[in-house]
mmCIF file of all heavy atoms in Angstrom:
data_model
loop_
_atom_site.group_PDB
_atom_site.id
_atom_site.type_symbol
_atom_site.label_atom_id
_atom_site.label_comp_id
_atom_site.label_asym_id
_atom_site.label_seq_id
_atom_site.Cartn_x
_atom_site.Cartn_y
_atom_site.Cartn_z
ATOM 1 N N VAL A 592 -57.148 -116.478 -149.356
ATOM 2 C CA VAL A 592 -56.254 -116.595 -148.201
ATOM 3 C C VAL A 592 -55.382 -117.846 -148.317
ATOM 4 O O VAL A 592 -54.182 -117.821 -147.989
ATOM 5 C CB VAL A 592 -57.082 -116.604 -146.900
ATOM 6 C CG1 VAL A 592 -56.191 -116.916 -145.702
ATOM 7 C CG2 VAL A 592 -57.772 -115.259 -146.704
ATOM 8 N N ALA A 593 -55.958 -118.949 -148.795
ATOM 9 C CA ALA A 593 -55.177 -120.170 -148.968
ATOM 10 C C ALA A 593 -54.073 -119.983 -150.005
ATOM 11 O O ALA A 593 -52.956 -120.480 -149.838
ATOM 12 C CB ALA A 593 -56.101 -121.321 -149.370
ATOM 13 N N ILE A 594 -54.360 -119.252 -151.079
ATOM 14 C CA ILE A 594 -53.342 -119.001 -152.100
ATOM 15 C C ILE A 594 -52.198 -118.175 -151.521
ATOM 16 O O ILE A 594 -51.010 -118.469 -151.725
ATOM 17 C CB ILE A 594 -53.971 -118.288 -153.315
ATOM 18 C CG1 ILE A 594 -54.939 -119.227 -154.038
ATOM 19 C CG2 ILE A 594 -52.907 -117.791 -154.271
ATOM 20 C CD1 ILE A 594 -55.733 -118.546 -155.127
ATOM 21 N N VAL A 595 -52.541 -117.121 -150.764
ATOM 22 C CA VAL A 595 -51.509 -116.284 -150.151
ATOM 23 C C VAL A 595 -50.675 -117.099 -149.157
ATOM 24 O O VAL A 595 -49.442 -116.973 -149.092
ATOM 25 C CB VAL A 595 -52.151 -115.062 -149.465
ATOM 26 C CG1 VAL A 595 -51.117 -114.259 -148.694
ATOM 27 C CG2 VAL A 595 -52.849 -114.180 -150.489
ATOM 28 N N ALA A 596 -51.322 -117.974 -148.392
ATOM 29 C CA ALA A 596 -50.589 -118.799 -147.440
ATOM 30 C C ALA A 596 -49.648 -119.768 -148.150
ATOM 31 O O ALA A 596 -48.511 -119.974 -147.707
ATOM 32 C CB ALA A 596 -51.584 -119.575 -146.562
ATOM 33 N N ALA A 597 -50.093 -120.356 -149.259
ATOM 34 C CA ALA A 597 -49.229 -121.270 -150.004
ATOM 35 C C ALA A 597 -48.015 -120.540 -150.570
ATOM 36 O O ALA A 597 -46.885 -121.048 -150.519
ATOM 37 C CB ALA A 597 -50.023 -121.926 -151.135
ATOM 38 N N ILE A 598 -48.225 -119.318 -151.084
ATOM 39 C CA ILE A 598 -47.100 -118.541 -151.601
ATOM 40 C C ILE A 598 -46.144 -118.162 -150.477
ATOM 41 O O ILE A 598 -44.915 -118.223 -150.631
ATOM 42 C CB ILE A 598 -47.616 -117.284 -152.332
ATOM 43 C CG1 ILE A 598 -48.419 -117.680 -153.572
ATOM 44 C CG2 ILE A 598 -46.472 -116.362 -152.710
ATOM 45 C CD1 ILE A 598 -49.087 -116.524 -154.269
ATOM 46 N N THR A 599 -46.675 -117.819 -149.317
ATOM 47 C CA THR A 599 -45.826 -117.466 -148.179
ATOM 48 C C THR A 599 -44.981 -118.650 -147.738
ATOM 49 O O THR A 599 -43.801 -118.496 -147.398
ATOM 50 C CB THR A 599 -46.700 -116.971 -147.017
ATOM 51 O OG1 THR A 599 -47.507 -115.881 -147.466
ATOM 52 C CG2 THR A 599 -45.845 -116.502 -145.855
ATOM 53 N N LEU A 600 -45.561 -119.854 -147.738
ATOM 54 C CA LEU A 600 -44.804 -121.029 -147.316
ATOM 55 C C LEU A 600 -43.664 -121.352 -148.276
ATOM 56 O O LEU A 600 -42.580 -121.767 -147.854
ATOM 57 C CB LEU A 600 -45.745 -122.230 -147.202
ATOM 58 C CG LEU A 600 -46.702 -122.237 -146.001
ATOM 59 C CD1 LEU A 600 -47.648 -123.413 -146.105
ATOM 60 C CD2 LEU A 600 -45.916 -122.300 -144.703
ATOM 61 N N THR A 601 -43.899 -121.170 -149.560
ATOM 62 C CA THR A 601 -42.870 -121.538 -150.542
ATOM 63 C C THR A 601 -41.847 -120.438 -150.765
ATOM 64 O O THR A 601 -40.781 -120.715 -151.324
ATOM 65 C CB THR A 601 -43.524 -121.875 -151.883
ATOM 66 O OG1 THR A 601 -44.327 -120.762 -152.309
ATOM 67 C CG2 THR A 601 -44.405 -123.106 -151.754
ATOM 68 N N MET A 602 -42.124 -119.206 -150.341
ATOM 69 C CA MET A 602 -41.211 -118.091 -150.586
ATOM 70 C C MET A 602 -40.390 -117.732 -149.365
ATOM 71 O O MET A 602 -39.887 -116.626 -149.255
ATOM 72 C CB MET A 602 -42.005 -116.863 -151.059
ATOM 73 C CG MET A 602 -42.671 -117.034 -152.403
ATOM 74 S SD MET A 602 -41.486 -117.212 -153.735
ATOM 75 C CE MET A 602 -40.817 -115.557 -153.805
ATOM 76 N N ARG A 603 -40.248 -118.616 -148.394
ATOM 77 C CA ARG A 603 -39.448 -118.296 -147.218
ATOM 78 C C ARG A 603 -37.970 -118.194 -147.604
ATOM 79 O O ARG A 603 -37.497 -118.848 -148.522
ATOM 80 C CB ARG A 603 -39.653 -119.346 -146.137
ATOM 81 C CG ARG A 603 -39.132 -120.718 -146.480
ATOM 82 C CD ARG A 603 -39.253 -121.620 -145.259
ATOM 83 N NE ARG A 603 -38.655 -122.913 -145.498
ATOM 84 C CZ ARG A 603 -39.315 -123.995 -145.828
ATOM 85 N NH1 ARG A 603 -40.625 -123.914 -145.984
ATOM 86 N NH2 ARG A 603 -38.703 -125.135 -146.020
ATOM 87 N N ARG A 604 -37.215 -117.383 -146.844
ATOM 88 C CA ARG A 604 -35.817 -117.142 -147.170
ATOM 89 C C ARG A 604 -34.959 -118.324 -146.752
ATOM 90 O O ARG A 604 -35.139 -118.899 -145.688
ATOM 91 C CB ARG A 604 -35.319 -115.873 -146.470
ATOM 92 C CG ARG A 604 -35.928 -114.617 -147.045
ATOM 93 C CD ARG A 604 -35.260 -113.381 -146.472
ATOM 94 N NE ARG A 604 -35.727 -112.184 -147.145
ATOM 95 C CZ ARG A 604 -35.184 -111.702 -148.243
ATOM 96 N NH1 ARG A 604 -34.165 -112.319 -148.801
ATOM 97 N NH2 ARG A 604 -35.661 -110.603 -148.809
ATOM 98 N N ARG A 605 -33.997 -118.659 -147.599
ATOM 99 C CA ARG A 605 -33.064 -119.738 -147.312
ATOM 100 C C ARG A 605 -31.654 -119.153 -147.318
ATOM 101 O O ARG A 605 -31.320 -118.354 -148.195
ATOM 102 C CB ARG A 605 -33.201 -120.846 -148.342
ATOM 103 C CG ARG A 605 -34.633 -121.343 -148.449
ATOM 104 C CD ARG A 605 -34.786 -122.489 -149.361
ATOM 105 N NE ARG A 605 -36.210 -122.817 -149.481
ATOM 106 C CZ ARG A 605 -36.650 -124.013 -149.773
ATOM 107 N NH1 ARG A 605 -35.816 -124.993 -149.978
ATOM 108 N NH2 ARG A 605 -37.936 -124.248 -149.852
ATOM 109 N N PRO A 606 -30.824 -119.547 -146.370
ATOM 110 C CA PRO A 606 -29.484 -118.920 -146.279
ATOM 111 C C PRO A 606 -28.590 -119.210 -147.470
ATOM 112 O O PRO A 606 -27.714 -118.425 -147.805
ATOM 113 C CB PRO A 606 -28.905 -119.515 -144.969
ATOM 114 C CG PRO A 606 -29.701 -120.764 -144.743
ATOM 115 C CD PRO A 606 -31.071 -120.500 -145.297
ATOM 116 N N GLU A 607 -28.792 -120.346 -148.130
ATOM 117 C CA GLU A 607 -27.908 -120.695 -149.240
ATOM 118 C C GLU A 607 -28.341 -120.059 -150.569
ATOM 119 O O GLU A 607 -27.658 -120.242 -151.579
ATOM 120 C CB GLU A 607 -27.855 -122.222 -149.408
ATOM 121 C CG GLU A 607 -29.152 -122.861 -149.900
ATOM 122 C CD GLU A 607 -30.136 -123.168 -148.798
ATOM 123 O OE1 GLU A 607 -29.839 -122.777 -147.645
ATOM 124 O OE2 GLU A 607 -31.169 -123.798 -149.077
ATOM 125 N N THR A 608 -29.437 -119.333 -150.578
ATOM 126 C CA THR A 608 -29.947 -118.724 -151.809
ATOM 127 C C THR A 608 -29.504 -117.268 -151.895
ATOM 128 O O THR A 608 -29.554 -116.535 -150.892
ATOM 129 C CB THR A 608 -31.481 -118.808 -151.852
ATOM 130 O OG1 THR A 608 -31.873 -120.166 -151.680
ATOM 131 C CG2 THR A 608 -32.009 -118.297 -153.167
ATOM 132 N N ARG A 609 -29.058 -116.845 -153.060
ATOM 133 C CA ARG A 609 -28.646 -115.464 -153.282
ATOM 134 C C ARG A 609 -29.853 -114.643 -153.755
ATOM 135 O O ARG A 609 -30.586 -115.070 -154.645
ATOM 136 C CB ARG A 609 -27.525 -115.400 -154.314
ATOM 137 C CG ARG A 609 -26.278 -116.179 -153.892
ATOM 138 C CD ARG A 609 -25.204 -116.108 -154.945
ATOM 139 N NE ARG A 609 -24.761 -114.738 -155.150
ATOM 140 C CZ ARG A 609 -23.862 -114.378 -156.057
ATOM 141 N NH1 ARG A 609 -23.338 -115.287 -156.867
ATOM 142 N NH2 ARG A 609 -23.503 -113.119 -156.174
ATOM 143 N N TYR A 610 -30.034 -113.483 -153.132
ATOM 144 C CA TYR A 610 -31.172 -112.624 -153.461
ATOM 145 C C TYR A 610 -30.679 -111.291 -154.018
ATOM 146 O O TYR A 610 -29.550 -110.852 -153.739
ATOM 147 C CB TYR A 610 -32.025 -112.364 -152.210
ATOM 148 C CG TYR A 610 -32.716 -113.601 -151.683
ATOM 149 C CD1 TYR A 610 -32.116 -114.370 -150.705
ATOM 150 C CD2 TYR A 610 -33.965 -113.982 -152.161
ATOM 151 C CE1 TYR A 610 -32.749 -115.508 -150.216
ATOM 152 C CE2 TYR A 610 -34.594 -115.111 -151.692
ATOM 153 C CZ TYR A 610 -33.988 -115.874 -150.714
ATOM 154 O OH TYR A 610 -34.610 -116.996 -150.234
ATOM 155 N N GLN A 611 -31.525 -110.631 -154.779
ATOM 156 C CA GLN A 611 -31.244 -109.312 -155.318
ATOM 157 C C GLN A 611 -32.173 -108.300 -154.693
ATOM 158 O O GLN A 611 -33.350 -108.587 -154.441
ATOM 159 C CB GLN A 611 -31.409 -109.303 -156.839
ATOM 160 C CG GLN A 611 -30.419 -110.195 -157.573
ATOM 161 C CD GLN A 611 -30.618 -110.141 -159.075
ATOM 162 O OE1 GLN A 611 -31.582 -109.551 -159.543
ATOM 163 N NE2 GLN A 611 -29.717 -110.752 -159.809
ATOM 164 N N ASP A 612 -31.622 -107.110 -154.430
ATOM 165 C CA ASP A 612 -32.410 -106.016 -153.870
ATOM 166 C C ASP A 612 -32.616 -104.963 -154.952
ATOM 167 O O ASP A 612 -31.683 -104.217 -155.286
ATOM 168 C CB ASP A 612 -31.675 -105.411 -152.666
ATOM 169 C CG ASP A 612 -32.568 -104.439 -151.901
ATOM 170 O OD1 ASP A 612 -33.674 -104.142 -152.398
ATOM 171 O OD2 ASP A 612 -32.175 -103.988 -150.811
ATOM 172 N N PRO A 613 -33.822 -104.875 -155.549
ATOM 173 C CA PRO A 613 -34.031 -103.900 -156.645
ATOM 174 C C PRO A 613 -33.797 -102.457 -156.219
ATOM 175 O O PRO A 613 -33.348 -101.636 -157.031
ATOM 176 C CB PRO A 613 -35.488 -104.145 -157.052
ATOM 177 C CG PRO A 613 -35.784 -105.532 -156.584
ATOM 178 C CD PRO A 613 -34.985 -105.721 -155.339
ATOM 179 N N SER A 614 -34.086 -102.118 -154.959
ATOM 180 C CA SER A 614 -33.902 -100.739 -154.520
ATOM 181 C C SER A 614 -32.423 -100.334 -154.542
ATOM 182 O O SER A 614 -32.101 -99.165 -154.780
ATOM 183 C CB SER A 614 -34.467 -100.561 -153.112
ATOM 184 O OG SER A 614 -33.781 -101.399 -152.187
ATOM 185 N N LYS A 615 -31.537 -101.288 -154.300
ATOM 186 C CA LYS A 615 -30.102 -100.984 -154.372
ATOM 187 C C LYS A 615 -29.602 -101.004 -155.811
ATOM 188 O O LYS A 615 -28.647 -100.293 -156.154
ATOM 189 C CB LYS A 615 -29.313 -102.008 -153.545
ATOM 190 C CG LYS A 615 -29.568 -101.916 -152.057
ATOM 191 C CD LYS A 615 -28.737 -102.943 -151.299
ATOM 192 C CE LYS A 615 -28.985 -102.849 -149.798
ATOM 193 N NZ LYS A 615 -28.194 -103.858 -149.043
ATOM 194 N N GLN A 616 -30.232 -101.793 -156.647
ATOM 195 C CA GLN A 616 -29.793 -101.873 -158.042
ATOM 196 C C GLN A 616 -30.079 -100.590 -158.819
ATOM 197 O O GLN A 616 -29.284 -100.170 -159.652
ATOM 198 C CB GLN A 616 -30.460 -103.058 -158.732
ATOM 199 C CG GLN A 616 -29.962 -104.414 -158.260
ATOM 200 C CD GLN A 616 -30.692 -105.555 -158.941
ATOM 201 O OE1 GLN A 616 -31.854 -105.433 -159.273
ATOM 202 N NE2 GLN A 616 -29.994 -106.658 -159.149
ATOM 203 N N VAL A 617 -31.208 -99.931 -158.538
ATOM 204 C CA VAL A 617 -31.589 -98.748 -159.316
ATOM 205 C C VAL A 617 -30.770 -97.514 -158.959
ATOM 206 O O VAL A 617 -30.742 -96.547 -159.724
ATOM 207 C CB VAL A 617 -33.090 -98.464 -159.147
ATOM 208 C CG1 VAL A 617 -33.921 -99.589 -159.708
ATOM 209 C CG2 VAL A 617 -33.447 -98.195 -157.690
ATOM 210 N N VAL A 618 -30.100 -97.489 -157.801
ATOM 211 C CA VAL A 618 -29.309 -96.315 -157.398
ATOM 212 C C VAL A 618 -27.829 -96.477 -157.717
ATOM 213 O O VAL A 618 -27.030 -95.594 -157.411
ATOM 214 C CB VAL A 618 -29.477 -96.059 -155.879
ATOM 215 C CG1 VAL A 618 -30.930 -95.738 -155.552
ATOM 216 C CG2 VAL A 618 -28.990 -97.239 -155.056
ATOM 217 N N VAL A 619 -27.463 -97.576 -158.350
ATOM 218 C CA VAL A 619 -26.054 -97.801 -158.684
ATOM 219 C C VAL A 619 -25.658 -96.916 -159.853
ATOM 220 O O VAL A 619 -26.393 -96.793 -160.836
ATOM 221 C CB VAL A 619 -25.818 -99.291 -159.003
ATOM 222 C CG1 VAL A 619 -24.423 -99.504 -159.562
ATOM 223 C CG2 VAL A 619 -26.008 -100.123 -157.755
ATOM 224 N N LYS A 620 -24.493 -96.277 -159.746
ATOM 225 C CA LYS A 620 -23.967 -95.435 -160.828
ATOM 226 C C LYS A 620 -23.010 -96.281 -161.689
ATOM 227 O O LYS A 620 -22.450 -97.282 -161.255
ATOM 228 C CB LYS A 620 -23.224 -94.246 -160.231
ATOM 229 C CG LYS A 620 -24.103 -93.406 -159.321
ATOM 230 C CD LYS A 620 -24.564 -92.221 -160.063
ATOM 231 C CE LYS A 620 -25.409 -91.281 -159.320
ATOM 232 N NZ LYS A 620 -25.826 -91.268 -158.091
ATOM 233 N N ALA A 621 -22.818 -95.815 -162.889
ATOM 234 C CA ALA A 621 -21.936 -96.541 -163.806
ATOM 235 C C ALA A 621 -20.502 -96.556 -163.290
ATOM 236 O O ALA A 621 -19.771 -97.538 -163.442
ATOM 237 C CB ALA A 621 -22.006 -95.924 -165.199
ATOM 238 N N LYS A 622 -20.066 -95.450 -162.672
ATOM 239 C CA LYS A 622 -18.684 -95.388 -162.189
ATOM 240 C C LYS A 622 -18.438 -96.353 -161.028
ATOM 241 O O LYS A 622 -17.285 -96.696 -160.751
ATOM 242 C CB LYS A 622 -18.358 -93.958 -161.756
ATOM 243 C CG LYS A 622 -19.218 -93.470 -160.602
ATOM 244 C CD LYS A 622 -18.860 -92.049 -160.221
ATOM 245 C CE LYS A 622 -19.706 -91.571 -159.046
ATOM 246 N NZ LYS A 622 -19.354 -90.198 -158.643
ATOM 247 N N ASP A 623 -19.508 -96.762 -160.357
ATOM 248 C CA ASP A 623 -19.342 -97.723 -159.259
ATOM 249 C C ASP A 623 -19.157 -99.154 -159.753
ATOM 250 O O ASP A 623 -18.611 -99.989 -159.043
ATOM 251 C CB ASP A 623 -20.558 -97.669 -158.325
ATOM 252 C CG ASP A 623 -20.719 -96.301 -157.686
ATOM 253 O OD1 ASP A 623 -19.702 -95.613 -157.517
ATOM 254 O OD2 ASP A 623 -21.878 -95.940 -157.365
ATOM 255 N N ARG A 624 -19.618 -99.425 -160.942
ATOM 256 C CA ARG A 624 -19.586 -100.789 -161.459
ATOM 257 C C ARG A 624 -18.623 -100.962 -162.644
ATOM 258 O O ARG A 624 -18.247 -102.081 -162.954
ATOM 259 C CB ARG A 624 -20.991 -101.209 -161.906
ATOM 260 C CG ARG A 624 -22.001 -101.315 -160.783
ATOM 261 C CD ARG A 624 -21.651 -102.449 -159.840
ATOM 262 N NE ARG A 624 -22.605 -102.561 -158.757
ATOM 263 C CZ ARG A 624 -23.675 -103.358 -158.807
ATOM 264 N NH1 ARG A 624 -23.913 -104.058 -159.900
ATOM 265 N NH2 ARG A 624 -24.493 -103.427 -157.776
ATOM 266 N N LEU A 625 -18.261 -99.849 -163.304
ATOM 267 C CA LEU A 625 -17.476 -99.937 -164.532
ATOM 268 C C LEU A 625 -16.187 -99.142 -164.364
ATOM 269 O O LEU A 625 -16.204 -98.002 -163.905
ATOM 270 C CB LEU A 625 -18.288 -99.390 -165.719
ATOM 271 C CG LEU A 625 -17.602 -99.411 -167.066
ATOM 272 C CD1 LEU A 625 -17.336 -100.830 -167.531
ATOM 273 C CD2 LEU A 625 -18.456 -98.685 -168.112
ATOM 274 N N ARG A 626 -15.077 -99.743 -164.705
ATOM 275 C CA ARG A 626 -13.770 -99.066 -164.662
ATOM 276 C C ARG A 626 -13.164 -99.084 -166.050
ATOM 277 O O ARG A 626 -13.012 -100.148 -166.649
ATOM 278 C CB ARG A 626 -12.839 -99.765 -163.672
ATOM 279 C CG ARG A 626 -11.516 -99.025 -163.482
ATOM 280 C CD ARG A 626 -10.640 -99.719 -162.473
ATOM 281 N NE ARG A 626 -10.285 -101.063 -162.939
ATOM 282 C CZ ARG A 626 -9.448 -101.860 -162.278
ATOM 283 N NH1 ARG A 626 -8.934 -101.485 -161.128
ATOM 284 N NH2 ARG A 626 -9.170 -103.059 -162.752
#
């Protein structure tokens, strides 16, 4: 429980950090990203 709590404290979201969403990345088609 202490390990999970430490990870939770350090993994909080920060507004200045850019995040990636894997669920959106896997549904992207080539025509949407490549011209």
Side-chain angles (χ1 to χ4, degrees):
V592 172
I594 293 172
V595 174
I598 295 174
T599 304
L600 287 174
T601 56
M602 294 294 290
R603 66 174 185 261
R604 290 189 173 273
R605 306 184 185 206
E607 68 275 6
T608 305
R609 300 179 63 183
Y610 294 93
Q611 296 180 352
D612 190 352
S614 62
K615 293 181 180 179
Q616 290 178 328
V617 296
V618 297
V619 171
K620 302 260 181 2
K622 62 180 181 179
D623 298 332
R624 294 294 180 92
L625 180 65
R626 186 178 62 175

